[in-house]
Amino acid sequence: MTAIRVFPDPQALAEAAARHVVESAQAAVDARGAFSIALSGGSTPRELHLKLASPPLVEQVDWSRVHVFFGDERCVPPADERSNYRMAEETLLNRVPIPRNQIHRMRGELPPEQAVEDYERELRDYFKDEPPRLDLILLGMGDNGHCASLFPGLAAVHEQQRWVVAEYVAEVSMWRITLTPVIINLAREVIFLVAGAAKADMLRQVLEGPFAPDERPAQIVRPSPGEVVWLIDAAAAAKLSPPTG
Ligand code: 6PG
């Protein structure tokens, strides 16, 4: 099932997204005693993180039950300003009482293939013999239609075996580590956070255009039986067809 919710501006989007994460966390803890979430990189999640880490929402999450993973990472050390972990640390993880051993970082400082093996082990250790079904995966979308580090034309977009891969992404001139569609489409829930007019053309193509994941990798995200929720601001939604019904 795909749901689309449009908010007037990035602040309202971040507020609604943060509340949605809290509700998902509470439901997961009630049902299974833990909440596993993969964070997204990029700039859009910053506001969401800050709202999650501030009253009243911060008190509504049992952080002792939360396990944080990452959807992708740049192959740089954690202190590098390009690191998704560093952004998450600054805006969320060092502001909430989550046990540090429940933060499952992609080790971007390692050689890419070693980082991939390390992260696959991290996932297997957590999920043990169960399928790697994360409760929630947060994703952004680039104006070229990429999500996580699944960029147009990359083999990773069509990966059907491995849970994590590394690829050199010429578009951003760096190695990236990313969850593959195998893991993403096992998630109970995927939330796309998309804001800004620059995304409007691509968002219309992704949501309303033909299925072409090599050009628009975000289209490869079709969790089943999980759900996809698109949380977008009015600027990004400006070119979508008016809702019918
Ligand atoms: C990354 C992200 C990437 C991001 C999109 C959107 O590592 O950069 O995982 O997929 O979500 O590029 O980024 P913005 O939120 O900055 O537009």
Side-chain angles (χ1 to χ4, degrees):
M1 190 270 283
T2 297
I4 300 172
R5 295 176 61 197
V6 182
F7 299 91
D9 55 56
Q11 276 302 319
L13 168 63
E15 182 68 31
R19 292 183 184 284
H20 191 119
V21 172
V22 169
E23 288 162 15
S24 297
Q26 290 169 342
V29 170
D30 290 349
R32 292 175 294 279
F35 175 58
S36 57
I37 178 172
L39 300 179
S40 170
S43 55
T44 307
R46 295 181 68 93
E47 270 311 304
L48 186 167
H49 292 176
L50 292 169
K51 290 185 185 302
L52 268 182
S54 309
L57 295 180
V58 70
E59 290 109 8
Q60 297 174 18
V61 177
D62 180 352
W63 295 97
S64 72
R65 302 297 189 94
V66 177
H67 283 260
V68 165
F69 295 86
F70 288 82
D72 72 325
E73 185 56 278
R74 292 84 181 276
C75 291
V76 295
D80 188 299
E81 64 182 12
R82 296 166 293 176
S83 164
N84 290 337
Y85 170 79
R86 175 174 164 174
M87 185 273 281
E89 179 75 358
E90 290 172 350
T91 56
L92 176 62
L93 300 178
N94 66 11
R95 299 168 182 248
V96 296
I98 181 172
R100 300 302 295 181
N101 66 350
Q102 293 179 196
I103 299 171
H104 306 277
R105 180 174 70 85
M106 288 180 168
R107 294 168 62 192
E109 69 276 20
L110 295 177
E113 275 313 316
Q114 194 179 330
V116 164
E117 288 167 20
D118 175 79
Y119 210 64
E120 178 130 356
R121 192 177 316 111
E122 189 89 17
L123 287 164
R124 290 190 185 281
D125 287 349
Y126 178 75
F127 286 106
K128 296 185 176 49
D129 301 329
E130 295 297 314
R133 188 180 303 283
L134 289 159
D135 290 310
L136 176 58
I137 297 179
L138 294 178
L139 293 174
M141 186 196 76
D143 57 13
N144 65 350
H146 84 264
C147 63
S149 283
L150 302 174
F151 280 76
L154 290 192
V157 173
H158 298 286
E159 176 60 41
Q160 295 186 343
Q161 304 298 324
R162 302 179 73 181
W163 298 356
V164 191
V165 296
E167 293 222 47
Y168 181 76
V169 184
E171 208 163 324
V172 291
S173 308
M174 63 163 45
W175 279 88
R176 297 279 193 99
I177 307 160
T178 187
L179 296 185
T180 67
V182 175
I183 286 261
I184 293 171
N185 286 331
L186 275 174
R188 290 188 173 84
E189 186 180 30
V190 176
I191 293 179
F192 272 99
L193 283 173
V194 185
K199 308 282 179 78
D201 277 332
M202 181 51 71
L203 191 60
R204 179 178 48 76
Q205 293 176 61
V206 165
L207 292 178
E208 300 179 3
F211 182 65
D214 281 309
E215 296 164 38
R216 307 185 272 270
Q219 288 185 323
I220 205 74
V221 176
R222 302 182 295 181
S224 176
E227 301 182 344
V228 186
V229 180
W230 289 81
L231 302 180
I232 54 187
D233 75 349
K239 298 192 175 176
L240 295 181
S241 305
T244 54

